[in-house]
Structure formats: structure tokens, C-alpha cells
Amino acid sequence: MRIVVIGSGGREHALVRALAESPSKPTLWAIPGNPGIFELAQPTGFDNPLDTDSLVTFCRDNEIDLVVVGPEAPLAAGVADRLRLEEIPVFGPSQAAARLESSKWYAKRFMERYGIPTARWESFTADEADEAREYVTTHELPLVVKADGLAAGKGVVVASTRDEALAALDRMFSGGYGDAGKRVVIEDFLCGEEASVFAICDGMQYTLLAPAQDHKRLYDGDRGPNTGGMGAYAPAPIVTASLLEQIEQRIVAPTLQGMVSENAPFVGCLYVGLMIADGKPYVVEYNVRFGDPETQSVLEVFRGDFARLLYSAARGRLDRSAIVKVADGWSCTVVLASKGYPGKYETGFPISGIEKAQQLARVYHAGTARDAAGTLITAGGRVLDVTSHAPTLADAIERCYRAVQCIRFENVYYRTDIGARALRTQHLLEENQ
Ligand code: AMP
Ligand code: GLY
């Protein structure tokens, strides 16, 4: 099998790794890739995945069997539609199906139409700014103010005071998030524990990977601003077997069915971001691609032929026999970021200690580059993801942090409590059994 992976982050490095280690032994290319990815995949000779003419020509010239799209932007831009038009199998949804992520307003109305549990909400355009202000001044706090469009994980404000909510509205309506903020969705705050569930979908059928939990806040104790994700672990003990059944029956199956009814069948990874409140699952967000950094952990515990799984889904004939086990042991991922992320940060610092860390865990490149002399340097907000595997969650966490401590670069920042709450949940669940 010959596969092209689109993207350049830690998630794509993990996807490429899992594809490379698949028993079907595919040959791999990446656009635009990163230094870690290029240890396992070849460059295509062009860097912009939105250049669909070059992409199609490359796929034809190289007899590509499958394109796997990592990030949401190319999906929202319709890259999968163009590939399908050319009859090139692609793992990733159409532009119409990608609206589940690219428009929070669409997603909310979709959930309303199909009775999928989610927080109560209202939506306002910039022209309705006065009504929006009135809404946040009269509704119970906290409230969650969301820019409708794609905002790289930064378009959501959990406001615990009216001033915060009003400031968020002002920022969004005044163009602080570009077109993404021209409409806002204001949601009731759901109090509970979050979990991410990934469904591999072929349009009609789906199969779930191990449930995971992300740590979106910047600081320990889940404080500070939201980020793209500072760490994750899988499987998430909060998602018990009976909860998973509810998630499938009330959320995943009706979502796929709903997308068929909308004439936008979903092919790809449907990421359901959940809040578990009073033992019941509610959708906090849909994403139309694998989560970053959850994927690093989810694929660490996956056993089977990942390449065959994605290929079968892309061709509309999901092959569940490609999965041997969705969760073998436990995995923890810690993100090493540049100090200042998700705001301003400096880059260009040399990175050392990766080989030593690799004796304990995998090290995925998220924001790295090579300088003119070939030295690996920092080149992004999230720089590296360290992903461990162990027979218990406690061991996975401990091993991961031992590996993290081997790595050095100036201005490194990471959370020190990834998975800590899960350990407590796990103990509680065990005590209650
Ligand atoms: P989103 O991009 O919609 O997933 O939102 C980012 C993060 O904001 C989520 O992962 C949650 O931590 C938080 N969040 C979003 N919506 C809600 C909600 N209705 N209640 C509580 N927290 C939320
Ligand atoms: N980790 C959250 C996301 O991928 O959106």
C-alpha cells in the first residue's frame, strides 16, 4: 500500500508511526511533514496540501492508494472532495461533513435536529451584538462563549463573570478571530469530566478506538488558558463499558445516521469531545479528524493493522478484522511546549536528549525544525510529545515523566500532572466495584 499523510504535527507523526508499523507495511509520504515524520516517510516535493492540483498529480504519478488527512483546515477547505472526485481513496470527510467542526452553529443545529445530547445554547451574529450582551447579562454563569468558525482551539472562552463574557463577545464581534467570530454560540456551562472518543467511520459503519482524555488547560490542576492540548492518556477510566454503550447509542450512531440524512456521510475519524455530567455523556464539540495529542496515546495502545483499517474505511467497507485490540495496556503523553504558548513564544533553541528519552518512550515531533547545520531546534508552540506505554496507568505516567526529564531545550514548559486525576478516578472506580 502507498499512503500520503497530510499534516506536520505530533498527531501526524503518531499516525505515520502507526501506519509504518502496520503489518501491511505501507510505503509512506508526508506533506508538509516534519523532521520526525521524515525518519519514516518521504517528502513529496511540494509543501502545500491545499495545492490540490499538485496533490492529485503526485497521487497519480506515484500510484497512491490512500491519502490520510491529519488537520481540519484542509478538510474544511475541501481537499477530500477533490481527491474523491479524482477517485483517489481518502481518509477524511468532505467539506460538507467537516462542518461538524468548522461551524459550531451548524454542529449545534445538527445535534438539535437529531436529538443528540449537548449543552443548551443560543447563537448571535455581529449584527445582533446587543441581544448577545443582553443574553450574557441575564443568564446564569458560568457561560461558554464560542466563535462559530475554526480558531485553532482558541475560540472558546469559559466565562465565570459577566465582564469576561462581555469581553469575549466584544473580541469576537470586533474581528479578533477574523471571520470565525462573526457569529458566536453561547452555551450553558456543563460541569463534569471530559473524555474524547474517536470513531473510525466509512460513511455508514463505525468502530471505536480507545477512549482518551486530553488536558486542554495550560497549567497544572486544569487552570489557565485553553491550549490545543498539553497531554493525554488512554484508555480513560472514566469511560466505563456502560458509559461507552450510552455514548454509542445516543451520540455516535445517531451522528453518523444524521450525516447520512444530511447527504454528507462521514468518512474519516469522528472525534466526539464529551463532558460526562452526572454519569451522562454530552457533546462539547465535534472534530472531524484525530485529536492532538490524544492520538499519540490512543495509537500507542492500539493493536492491529492501522493502515488496513483506514484504507477499508476510506473505501466505504470498514474492516473491523484489522483491529486485534483497541486498548492493550496504558499510555500517557506529555506535551513539551515553548514557554509562552499558547501566546507568544520564542523558537530556534537546540533540542537535546531525545535518544535517551527514546529508551523509555516514543518522542513525537510537533514543532521542530533543522537549522542550516542540521541541528534539531524548536520551531513551534508545542515542540515534542513524549508517549509512554506500560501495563498500568500509574506506570505509564511515571515512565513518561522519566523520559520527559531526559529532554532539554531552553524555555521548555510542560504540565507535571498529566493523568493524575485519572489515577484518582481509577482508584474510586475500583473501590466502588
Ligand atoms: P471546544 O473547542 O468547543 O471543545 O471547547 C474547548 C474546551 O472548552 C472544551 O474542551 C471544554 O474544556 C470547554 N468547554 C466547551 N464547551 C463547554 C461547556 N458547554 N461546558 C463546559 N466546558 C466547555
Ligand atoms: N486535543 C484537542 C484537539 O485535537 O482538538
Side-chain angles (χ1 to χ4, degrees), residues 11 214 216 228-229 271 285 287 289-294 382:
R11 162 185 52 208
D214 185 12
K216 285 211 171 72
Y271 167 135
E285 65 169 335
N287 291 322
R289 34 82 191 166
F290 289 96
D292 191 349
E294 296 99 314
R382 294 191 288 182

Side-chain angles (χ1 to χ4, degrees), residues 104 119 144 146 156 158 187-190 194 216 226 275 284-285:
K104 295 199 185 284
V144 188
K146 301 184 173 185
V156 174
V158 178
E187 283 185 12
D188 285 3
F189 179 79
L190 292 167
E194 284 184 69
K216 285 211 171 72
N226 264 322
M275 188 70 78
V284 167
E285 65 169 335

Side-chain angles (χ1 to χ4, degrees), residues 35-55:
I37 289 174
F38 288 132
E39 288 169 15
L40 301 165
Q42 306 163 55
T44 55
F46 66 102
D47 271 349
N48 180 7
L50 299 183
D51 173 3
T52 46
D53 288 337
S54 299
L55 181 59

